[in-house]
Amino acid sequence: MHLLKYFPGRGTLVSLLFFLGCDPSSNVDVVHSVNFEVAEATITEMHDNLLKGQVSSLDLVNAYLDRINKYDKNGPKLNSIILLNPNAQEQAITLDREREEKGMRGLLHGIPILLKDNYETRDMPTSGASIALSSFFPESDAFQVKKLREAGAIILGKTNMHELAAGITTISSLGGQTKNPYDISRNPGGSSGGTGAAIAASFAAIGWGSDTCGSIRIPASNNNLFGLRPTKGLASTRGIIPLSHTQDVGGPLARSAKDLAIGLNAIVGQDPEDPYTSILTNTNTPDFVAALDKDALKDSRIGILTSLFGDEPADQEIGLLVKQAITKMGELGAQAMEVSIPKLESMLQGSSVIAHEFKWDLIDYLEASEAPPVNSLEEIVELGLFHVAMEGTFRRRMFDEEREDPQYRQALEKQEALRKAVITLMETMDLDALVYPTMRRPIAIIGAPQAGSTCQLSASTGLPALSVPAGFTKDGLPFGIELLGLPLTDAKLVALGYSFEQNSDNRQPPALKPGLSELHFSTQLQSETTYEANFTFYTETNKLTSSVAFADPSLGDIYAVGLQLSEGPEVGGIIDRIGPENSSTRDMGNFLGTSEILLDPTTVMKLKEGGIFLAVFSSRYPKGELKSPLTIDDSTKALLRLRSSIDIN
């Protein structure tokens, strides 16, 4: 498989066609003079312009790649994309030709999309943003990915996520920390925060995430997007790295309700190999686009679940704003009334099964895979192949000793009781939806814990829940309002969200600015040079900058380079991932990367003691076996320069 390099702009198109073996004089029209703006463009707008021949899929791919270069890799450096698809441009040309010769497959034909990095793809690694799985290439596509390819979607790349989906702020050993495009000092939510930030910033038309307890809805709320946690079983999760098979679901995040509906139509349906989808037997698969109705809120009945608003001072701002949004729904014809579920708090407590299933589900997933680079969570922890921010979570979950202990069975019983209580309430009161804040509290600063999630109600009941953009706080931070429905009423929920959207104006794009000219590591390696790494530590600010270069085919494909802690005789976690200059290419043995990180006092001490080393993860060294400690050349200067050398023979 050859790799295509990405160069912003259209100047490389002719050489690209030549490289692919295409005839530039072909009657396939792949170059257009129309300057189509992809920022905030809807799928329908792109589809119509493709149909009219006013833009090509290759134009769309190049335009999105240009935005990613400006705003994800440079400028605000959102760091939402973990890997670009090296074949995206080639696929766009193929789909452009198919459109000209055979017509359009549907609304997603030739539309660039993004996938969370826990969706299996046969032509790209699937890592769960874990450096431990950076070399993992699945044999086939996830079920939803297969359906998206059949619909003609172009997979532009993979997005960063909270490592192995085990958190809600999107930080990982392979991808680092993703930033929120509305305020880069804050987190984008998680675990699908890379998808949320990327779609908010218009790096693709639509993106896919997964939700085990809020991981679609929280990024949707934090990034002014629509995100549906579908009814468990409406869409197959086969081929998505599991966190908890009982609670896992997958689906899209989008800038508009209609885009969300288009994405959902492409992926819902029964999968013979996913028993949860048997709920669709003898049931018509919903048509989300057909269900859209500007007047859906009229005469709808909505229950305000007051206990999920919170009563702490930190809950009040968003609680008031959500109530104002509910008032707006009332103005649009909805009948809103306060409702309660007796003992809801105690019913929710202990109802999650993530802690019980994560360790065992990961073992089963890796065991069923061909030649996985690691075999268990224990091995990941033992080898230090995780971000240090994940250590507490991973160590707690690896000590679960039984697959089905009494606490696990009790949690499943609580889920069933909770589901029955919610359904009984809604059916008794003839409610179309329950409503409450997606997040009770504003978005947390990066590095701080994120409180205020209401995710568990939908996750523990398996009932559908939609996060709808509801506006912004006084500090300009997005927030969402959540609608929860009865089983398989997903299309009704999206229709209600569409009605609210069409009669309000809550979608606002982030104010992104391209960066000034950036200085990147650009050392020209001589033919005999195979490795060079330079590190500069600033003692006054505790900042460590890194620049590394490799040029040795014997390393194989280089998937990641990181800085790793050494805990005496034990190996610690990853403190920094040195990002490649071009995430769309993985040339054999070639790598250029830079990074910048602030070290806490404890890590500074480890640095000075020689307790940090450079680790290379490649097809030859999938577990980071190639390591070298960082050593200080001159400790008498305020500016310390460090050099690492590796014997790669």
Side-chain angles (χ1 to χ4, degrees):
M1 181 184 298
H2 60 266
L3 301 179
L4 300 183
K5 296 183 183 294
Y6 161 61
F7 301 95
R10 308 240 179 110
T12 60
L13 179 60
V14 174
S15 60
L16 171 66
L17 292 172
F18 178 77
F19 180 71
L20 293 173
C22 300
D23 179 5
S25 64
S26 166
N27 59 5
V28 178
D29 185 14
V30 295
V31 183
H32 300 82
S33 60
V34 175
N35 184 22
F36 182 81
E37 179 57 66
V38 294
E40 294 294 300
T42 67
I43 294 173
T44 301
E45 289 169 345
M46 286 184 248
H47 173 81
D48 291 347
N49 277 272
L50 287 167
L51 197 60
K52 295 174 184 176
Q54 294 178 342
V55 71
S56 71
S57 293
L58 183 60
D59 290 332
L60 298 178
V61 166
N62 284 338
Y64 282 127
L65 290 173
D66 186 52
R67 286 187 63 81
I68 291 168
N69 183 57
K70 284 182 179 178
Y71 304 118
D72 204 59
K73 306 308 174 190
N74 296 292
K77 296 185 177 180
L78 297 181
N79 197 36
S80 66
I81 309 296
I82 210 165
L83 177 68
L84 292 172
N85 181 3
N87 302 306
Q89 292 164 313
E90 180 181 1
Q91 290 170 6
I93 292 171
T94 299
L95 287 163
D96 280 332
R97 180 179 293 110
E98 180 183 321
R99 184 185 69 252
E100 294 288 335
E101 296 176 352
K102 300 179 181 179
M104 302 281 269
R105 300 185 194 182
L107 288 170
L108 284 177
H109 184 116
I111 301 296
I113 69 168
L114 287 166
L115 299 174
K116 186 177 181 178
D117 193 31
N118 58 351
Y119 280 75
E120 290 186 347
T121 46
R122 63 177 186 269
D123 51 357
M124 287 182 286
T126 299
S127 71
S130 170
I131 209 159
L133 296 176
S134 58
S135 61
F136 178 51
F137 280 81
E139 294 180 286
S140 58
D141 288 331
F143 183 82
Q144 290 192 33
V145 174
K146 180 175 181 290
K147 289 177 72 70
L148 287 166
R149 290 195 203 266
E150 290 171 352
I154 299 169
I155 299 171
L156 193 60
K158 295 287 196 73
T159 58
N160 194 25
M161 55 184 282
H162 206 98
E163 190 157 349
L164 295 178
I168 62 172
T169 58
T170 304
I171 187 169
S172 68
S173 59
L174 188 60
Q177 174 68 61
T178 296
K179 304 172 188 174
N180 190 304
Y182 290 92
D183 181 347
I184 61 173
S185 72
R186 299 178 188 265
N187 75 72
S191 61
S192 311
T195 298
I199 300 307
S202 292
F203 294 160
I206 188 172
W208 261 255
S210 62
D211 189 313
T212 311
C213 186
S215 290
I216 286 175
R217 293 162 290 150
I218 294 171
S221 177
N222 283 17
N223 293 281
N224 200 219
L225 302 172
F226 285 85
L228 175 73
R229 176 188 166 87
T231 298
K232 177 66 176 177
L234 183 63
S236 174
T237 58
R238 179 164 59 90
I240 300 176
I241 297 175
L243 179 63
S244 165
H245 67 270
T246 298
Q247 295 180 198
D248 289 341
V249 297
L253 293 93
R255 293 182 293 271
S256 71
K258 186 173 183 181
D259 281 357
L260 186 79
I262 292 169
L264 287 164
N265 272 1
I267 53 95
V268 298
Q270 194 164 2
D271 174 9
E273 297 184 48
D274 182 348
Y276 283 102
T277 65
S278 63
I279 65 166
L280 296 174
T281 303
N282 302 322
T283 301
N284 292 328
T285 303
D287 186 330
F288 286 87
V289 175
L292 297 178
D293 180 4
K294 185 177 180 180
D295 298 319
L297 281 168
K298 187 177 181 180
D299 297 327
S300 64
R301 290 176 58 82
I302 297 176
I304 306 169
L305 195 54
T306 53
S307 59
L308 290 187
F309 280 69
D311 52 15
E312 297 292 329
D315 302 327
Q316 299 311 302
E317 180 186 12
I318 287 182
L320 177 60
L321 292 170
V322 168
K323 288 174 182 176
Q324 291 174 356
I326 295 171
T327 298
K328 175 67 174 180
M329 290 181 174
E331 294 171 356
L332 297 172
Q335 300 177 48
M337 62 211 75
E338 292 189 357
V339 299
S340 63
I341 299 173
K343 301 180 180 179
L344 177 60
E345 184 176 351
S346 63
M347 294 177 75
L348 285 169
Q349 190 173 9
S351 66
S352 174
V353 295
I354 296 174
H356 303 287
E357 294 184 344
F358 172 43
K359 168 184 173 177
W360 306 107
D361 283 357
L362 186 61
I363 287 173
D364 292 344
Y365 174 79
L366 295 170
E367 188 176 78
S369 304
E370 184 174 337
V374 293
N375 296 300
S376 66
L377 181 62
E378 285 89 340
E379 186 177 357
I380 291 172
V381 172
E382 179 184 346
L383 296 174
L385 304 181
F386 58 89
H387 194 281
V388 290
M390 305 303 302
E391 183 166 11
T393 298
F394 284 178
R395 288 194 184 278
R396 283 194 305 273
R397 291 178 178 174
M398 66 183 274
F399 288 125
D400 189 58
E401 296 181 353
E402 297 181 45
R403 282 183 181 259
E404 296 194 13
D405 57 23
Q407 291 82 5
Y408 177 48
R409 291 191 291 272
Q410 185 179 26
L412 292 174
E413 291 170 1
K414 280 199 162 194
Q415 289 193 353
E416 185 58 35
L418 184 61
R419 177 183 173 89
K420 186 179 297 184
V422 173
I423 292 175
T424 298
L425 169 70
M426 295 187 67
E427 290 181 343
T428 300
M429 299 192 68
D430 192 25
L431 298 176
D432 294 295
L434 296 177
V435 63
Y436 46 87
T438 307
M439 295 290 289
R440 291 194 302 265
R441 297 186 181 180
I443 306 166
I445 297 290
I446 287 173
Q450 177 67 68
S453 172
T454 61
C455 67
Q456 195 62 53
L457 185 61
S458 173
S460 288
T461 59
L463 300 175
L466 173 74
S467 184
V468 178
F472 295 81
T473 68
K474 65 179 185 303
D475 294 327
L477 302 175
F479 71 95
I481 187 170
E482 187 160 316
L483 299 169
L484 181 140
L486 290 165
L488 296 176
T489 61
D490 305 61
K492 175 66 172 179
L493 290 181
V494 175
L496 293 173
Y498 175 79
S499 179
F500 183 67
E501 172 197 38
Q502 294 299 301
N503 291 282
S504 56
D505 187 22
N506 291 322
R507 172 62 196 170
Q508 295 179 23
L512 299 174
K513 296 180 181 179
L516 301 173
S517 297
E518 308 256 348
L519 294 176
H520 292 296
F521 181 71
S522 58
T523 300
Q524 297 298 314
L525 300 177
Q526 302 299 320
S527 58
E528 67 273 11
T529 302
T530 57
Y531 166 82
E532 185 170 336
N534 290 284
F535 303 87
T536 302
F537 178 66
Y538 300 85
T539 57
E540 292 184 358
T541 60
N542 286 348
K543 180 174 71 174
L544 178 67
T545 62
S546 312
S547 59
V548 301
F550 293 90
D552 185 346
S554 71
L555 296 176
D557 287 334
I558 299 177
Y559 303 118
V561 176
L563 296 178
Q564 194 170 28
L565 288 175
S566 174
E567 304 284 352
E570 298 182 1
V571 179
I574 304 295
I575 64 168
D576 189 30
R577 170 237 191 189
I578 301 174
E581 293 297 300
N582 187 346
S583 59
S584 66
T585 60
R586 291 188 171 179
D587 295 337
M588 188 75 72
N590 290 311
F591 182 94
L592 289 171
T594 61
S595 76
E596 180 179 292
I597 186 175
L598 294 176
L599 304 182
D600 60 69
T602 301
T603 308
V604 170
M605 288 299 299
K606 291 186 180 298
L607 172 65
K608 293 180 178 179
E609 295 169 355
I612 296 178
F613 50 87
L614 186 71
V616 178
F617 298 82
S618 70
S619 53
R620 182 178 175 186
Y621 302 102
K623 297 180 182 179
E625 300 95 328
L626 189 59
K627 301 184 194 309
S628 179
L630 272 61
T631 56
I632 299 174
D633 291 340
D634 186 351
S635 61
T636 64
K637 296 182 180 179
L639 182 65
L640 306 179
R641 297 190 180 278
L642 303 96
R643 179 174 294 273
S644 180
S645 60
I646 293 179
D647 180 4
I648 59 176
N649 295 319

